[in-house]
Amino acid sequence: MKLLRFGPAGHEKPGLVDASGVIRDLSSVVDDIAGATLLPANLAKLRDVKTDTLPTAPAGARIGPCVAGVGKVICVGLNYSDHAKESNMAIPTEPILFMKPTSAICGPNDHVEIPRGGEKTDWEVELGVVIGKTAKYVGKESALDYIAGYCVVNDVSERAFQLERGGQWDKGKGHDTFAPIGPWLVTADEVADPQNLAMWLDVDGHRYQNGSTRTMIFDVATLVSYISQFMTLQPGDVIATGTPPGVGLGQKPPVYLHAGQTMKLGIAGLGEQQQLTVPAKGTAA
């Protein structure tokens, strides 16, 4: 299944994409694509829903983040050896973890803000893993059983904040809109091999990233198992599994985003995102 959420920000409704590509409203079936809805037994019930009886979403409806109520976004740094090399950083011997605040989450086609004082805002197409049941001290051999599905994530980063302002990476990873997620959560049963997915990212029509999950240093099963040794993973948690080469930091000379540019990115079978970069907004009234 391709599950999604549509509607104005903060008021999204749950939906799915039917066999003909039409978005159907799941509001009469589930409250949201979140929490208990992602448990294996409840996903199985959703597969039995007769989609042709469901109302369609309004034409042109905004697509929101594909999962709601995210407890945490755990990110994996330098998980592709070529990306580590282009970043002039050592290839890790075990996964590097950092967090994005849930306030960074936005829809796959929402605007991405360039932070105030930001000088080196960068892009990163990543495979997102959405947890489907509680995972604590999980073995690698069973780790994939804890995954509800997969999605596209753009791990937007402000490199000056990340690398030049002291402390850990989080301050360069956590700005509002720095975690576009979606368009869909593709359930795990429809992804035959998460380690064989082509991925790409363009800026203003120029292809910068063109990679595959085949070249991850630590595969998805390893990551779920590893992270569960340090924190409990809960339904709706998202793991961003790292990015292939081609980020702005790695260009010679480096290339960074500025307001008025368009990022377009995707992963085979998981859909595409498109974001316009805009100046950061002030505090909401």
Side-chain angles (χ1 to χ4, degrees):
M1 292 182 293
K2 293 183 174 70
L3 303 175
L4 77 161
R5 303 170 65 249
F6 65 91
H11 301 280
E12 294 93 345
K13 294 181 178 181
L16 59 77
V17 181
D18 70 16
S20 60
V22 174
I23 297 175
R24 299 283 183 166
D25 188 340
L26 278 173
S27 298
S28 63
V29 182
V30 295
D31 291 334
D32 211 337
I33 308 301
T37 299
L38 302 172
L39 294 171
N42 292 331
L43 289 179
K45 291 178 183 177
L46 278 182
R47 293 187 187 95
D48 294 332
V49 172
K50 295 181 178 179
T51 57
D52 57 357
T53 66
L54 298 173
T56 60
R62 168 186 172 270
I63 304 301
C66 61
V67 61
V70 177
K72 49 189 173 290
V73 181
I74 310 105
C75 303
V76 183
L78 306 177
N79 196 29
Y80 291 70
S81 56
D82 288 350
H83 173 52
K85 183 177 180 181
E86 72 175 355
S87 302
N88 294 314
M89 297 181 182
I91 295 173
T93 56
E94 59 181 287
I96 295 171
L97 304 182
F98 61 93
M99 309 283 277
K100 277 184 181 280
T102 56
S103 55
I105 294 172
C106 66
N109 304 314
D110 291 347
H111 294 345
V112 164
E113 295 184 356
I114 304 297
R116 292 182 182 179
E119 304 170 349
K120 300 178 180 179
T121 305
D122 205 347
W123 55 83
E124 296 187 20
V125 59
E126 305 202 4
L127 172 66
V129 173
V130 180
I131 298 300
K133 60 180 181 178
T134 301
K136 183 176 182 180
Y137 296 121
V138 170
K140 180 180 176 181
E141 67 283 351
S142 62
L144 296 183
D145 296 338
Y146 291 81
I147 296 172
Y150 301 91
C151 61
V152 181
V153 176
N154 189 355
D155 174 18
V156 186
S157 310
E158 170 46 56
R159 302 298 189 190
F161 297 174
Q162 176 190 357
L163 302 173
E164 301 169 20
R165 296 287 298 272
Q168 301 181 359
W169 289 4
D170 301 52
K171 68 181 70 173
K173 297 285 191 171
H175 194 274
D176 293 355
T177 74
F178 270 22
I181 296 176
W184 317 307
L185 188 165
V186 180
T187 52
D189 60 300
E190 294 197 5
V191 179
D193 183 1
Q195 302 308 145
N196 189 27
L197 300 174
M199 53 205 309
W200 54 272
L201 182 144
D202 297 346
V203 178
D204 291 341
H206 178 82
R207 179 65 46 94
Y208 281 98
Q209 291 189 275
N210 191 12
S212 169
T213 58
R214 290 192 305 270
T215 63
M216 283 184 183
I217 298 170
F218 306 104
D219 63 18
V220 169
T222 297
L223 293 175
V224 172
S225 174
Y226 181 87
I227 295 169
S228 78
Q229 312 305 307
F230 299 96
M231 64 193 80
T232 298
L233 296 170
Q234 298 165 320
D237 285 348
V238 177
I239 302 171
T241 58
T243 197
V247 300
L249 175 67
Q251 306 303 307
K252 301 189 184 307
V255 176
Y256 297 113
L257 295 164
H258 55 79
Q261 293 188 286
T262 299
M263 290 181 282
K264 190 171 183 178
L265 57 148
I267 298 177
L270 304 185
E272 297 182 358
Q273 302 183 353
Q274 181 169 303
Q275 299 109 21
L276 175 69
T277 55
V278 298
K281 298 177 182 177
T283 303

